[in-house]
Amino acid sequence: MPRNLYNWSYRDVTRFLKEHEFEFLESKRGSHELWRKLGENRIGERVVEVNFTHTSYPPKTLKTMIHQSGIAKEVWIKWAGGKRK
């Protein structure tokens, strides 16, 4: 279960991206994937590079994905906190 910027799995990241209107774009080298979100009126886009892994992402890697997404870190953290039951 993600907590703050720790313990985010591939499934958590991709679920978050899907819920924020990102879609799978293509596979890249190795186990990397590109996820994109089209801008308003389908002009412009945001692209996040996600590396498939069976472990949690290091906080620095997650921060890079957060930056690429253009979504505030606080939104990511709030989403993670809301998943707990």
Side-chain angles (χ1 to χ4, degrees):
M1 192 67 49
R3 183 176 52 81
N4 199 352
L5 297 181
Y6 298 93
N7 298 326
W8 281 77
S9 67
Y10 169 82
R11 176 178 272 174
D12 295 322
V13 169
T14 56
R15 191 173 293 156
F16 175 87
L17 292 174
K18 286 178 187 176
E19 288 182 21
H20 288 85
E21 301 178 10
F22 279 79
E23 60 186 18
F24 175 79
L25 178 61
E26 65 180 323
S27 294
K28 295 302 279 181
R29 68 196 183 298
S31 56
H32 291 247
E33 301 174 344
L34 295 181
W35 287 73
R36 80 165 172 199
K37 177 180 182 178
L38 295 175
E40 290 184 29
N41 299 324
R42 303 187 65 81
I43 298 173
E45 63 181 30
R46 285 283 187 172
V47 177
V48 177
E49 185 174 341
V50 179
N51 181 21
F52 178 80
T53 181
H54 292 288
T55 61
S56 319
Y57 293 104
K60 186 175 179 182
T61 302
L62 185 61
K63 286 180 185 178
T64 299
M65 290 187 278
I66 290 170
H67 178 71
Q68 291 172 343
S69 75
I71 300 171
K73 177 174 73 170
E74 293 76 22
V75 175
W76 287 73
I77 293 169
K78 184 178 179 182
W79 183 88
K83 287 185 59 181
R84 285 191 223 126
K85 296 185 179 190

